[in-house]
């Protein structure tokens, strides 16, 4: 399953290997978004919940989100059908450095290979010209045309992407409200998106004590909306003590990760969560993250309404397209240095 063979490339350094038993996280904010259908005080209360979760945890779980269960079911069926293909059929839509969409089975996180195989696609094809301003990257989807009935499955994934975008903008508005910004204050950054969807498959691993499905990391974009199956394996580093805790799957829910962009835009009021994926030797696991990312030409810096003389900007501005390209390229090769992080743009504040 997945055709992965355990070797040294997958082995995590001793201090990053998962413990035999990972404690289940308690107290994770579970937010019911169904009051969004109402208005007034309900929206303000939800915004306050989202703000508290973004500040204290960097992620939260949503239910009552309005995404039809059938939409999710059709997308997960398409996902399983793709990964069930023979290796050579998947390799026919393999991605590369110039074309970063499609199938891949040797991604690296923190310079260690991940125990997984992935398939990346963009929701909008073709994307607007402004979204591919970097001439070196071609964001065209590689659809496996020879998969029986794949036209139907392609429609299933596109339907899922549309539902994710609607949810992403709802969440973006709640985050803006929680920061006392105009409700659509952050929407303009997403006019020409570099948003993408990843289908993840984590095969059973013979050495789950040595390897990780995805190594420790923070998401670089604005928001990640994650669907995970009932197997479990998502671990988050708990802020209070730095311990890794397991996020239990909740039926009909999505996990929302606050990404680095929200951390910068909020001038550190909110902090992105460090997370990883553990694997097991018995069951394969599937997940689908939707990475909500802005246009390549976006200059990322703290939102001006959130900075003042008493709270100056904590980050220098950086270009999202350059940042995104650098991060993408690191997936293909082991680096001699740490990959680019928002910490590299952190200002040294001299307090009077």
């Amino acid at each position: 399953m997945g055709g992965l063979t355990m070797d040294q490339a997958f082995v995590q350094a001793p201090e990053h290997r998962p413990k035999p038993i990972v404690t289940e996280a308690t107290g994770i904010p579970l937010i019911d978004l169904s009051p969004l259908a109402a208005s007034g005080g309900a929206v303000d209360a939800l915004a306050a919940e989202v703000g508290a979760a973004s500040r204290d945890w960097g992620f939260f779980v949503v239910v009552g989100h309005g995404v039809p269960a059938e939409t999710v079911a059709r997308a997960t069926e398409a996902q399983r059908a793709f990964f069930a293909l023979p290796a050579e059929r998947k390799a026919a839509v393999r991605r590369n450095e110039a074309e970063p969409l499609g199938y891949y089975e040797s991604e690296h996180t923190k310079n260690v290979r991940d125990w997984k195989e992935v398939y990346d696609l963009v929701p909008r094809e073709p994307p607007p010209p402004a979204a591919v301003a970097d001439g070196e990257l071609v964001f065209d989807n590689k659809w496996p045309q020879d998969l029986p009935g794949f036209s139907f499955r392609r429609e299933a994934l596109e339907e899922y992407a549309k539902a994710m975008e609607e949810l992403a903008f709802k969440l973006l508005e709640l985050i803006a409200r929680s920061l006392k910004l105009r409700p659509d204050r952050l929407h303009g950054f997403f006019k020409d998106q570099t948003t993408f969807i990843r289908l993840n498959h984590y095969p059973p691993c013979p050495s789950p004590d040595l390897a990780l499905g995805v190594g420790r990391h923070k998401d670089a974009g604005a928001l990640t909306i994650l669907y995970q199956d009932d197997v479990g394996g998502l671990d988050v580093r708990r802020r209070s003590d730095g311990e890794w805790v397991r996020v239990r799957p909740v039926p009909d829910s999505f996990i929302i990760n606050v990404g680095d962009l929200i951390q910068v835009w909020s001038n550190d009021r909110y902090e992105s969560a460090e997370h990883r994926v553990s694997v097991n030797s018995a069951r394969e696991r599937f997940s689908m993250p939707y990475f909500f990312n802005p246009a390549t030409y976006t200059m990322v810096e703290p939102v001006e309404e959130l900075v003042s003389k008493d709270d100056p900007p904590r980050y220098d501005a950086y270009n999202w397209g350059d940042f995104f390209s650098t991060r993408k390229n690191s997936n293909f090769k082991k680096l001699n240095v740490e990959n680019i992080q928002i910490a590299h743009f952190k200002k040294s504040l001299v307090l009077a």
Side-chain angles (χ1 to χ4, degrees), residues 136-309:
E136 295 183 15
L137 297 180
V138 179
F139 286 92
D140 284 335
N141 287 327
K142 294 183 176 180
W143 296 106
Q145 305 295 353
D146 56 348
L147 177 59
F150 198 81
S151 59
F152 164 73
R153 294 194 169 100
R154 173 174 173 172
E155 286 170 16
L157 292 169
E158 289 173 337
E159 177 191 350
Y160 182 80
K162 188 166 180 287
M164 288 298 98
E165 182 174 291
E166 288 178 17
L167 178 56
F169 276 114
K170 287 179 189 173
L171 292 164
L172 196 66
E173 178 179 325
L174 289 171
I175 284 173
R177 286 177 180 272
S178 74
L179 292 166
K180 303 295 187 281
L181 298 169
R182 194 178 72 243
D184 64 351
R185 176 63 176 87
L186 303 174
H187 284 34
F189 295 121
F190 298 88
K191 185 168 174 284
D192 300 314
Q193 299 172 25
T194 51
T195 294
F196 69 101
I197 291 178
R198 168 163 290 174
L199 311 182
N200 283 320
H201 175 224
Y202 303 96
C205 178
S207 304
D209 55 326
L210 299 178
L212 286 168
V214 184
R216 71 200 190 284
H217 69 286
K218 295 185 173 191
D219 290 344
L223 292 171
T224 303
I225 304 175
L226 175 75
Y227 170 79
Q228 64 168 340
D229 64 15
D230 63 356
V231 174
L234 175 65
D235 300 335
V236 173
R237 194 189 288 276
R238 191 163 51 195
R239 295 260 170 86
S240 57
D241 58 7
E243 283 295 310
W244 289 102
V245 290
R246 178 71 39 85
V247 181
R248 180 176 58 84
V250 176
D252 303 319
S253 74
F254 293 102
I255 296 164
I256 313 301
N257 276 353
V258 171
D260 287 344
L261 294 188
I262 297 290
Q263 180 170 328
V264 175
W265 284 334
S266 73
N267 207 28
D268 280 350
R269 286 167 175 78
Y270 300 157
E271 185 183 340
S272 56
E274 189 173 19
H275 53 287
R276 69 181 190 189
V277 175
S278 293
V279 287
N280 68 81
S281 58
R283 296 179 68 189
E284 62 183 338
R285 176 177 179 264
F286 295 89
S287 71
M288 278 193 296
Y290 172 91
F291 297 102
F292 193 46
N293 296 335
T296 54
Y297 52 76
T298 302
M299 291 303 295
V300 183
E301 59 189 326
V303 175
E304 60 181 334
E305 296 95 315
L306 300 178
V307 299
S308 64
K309 186 181 175 191

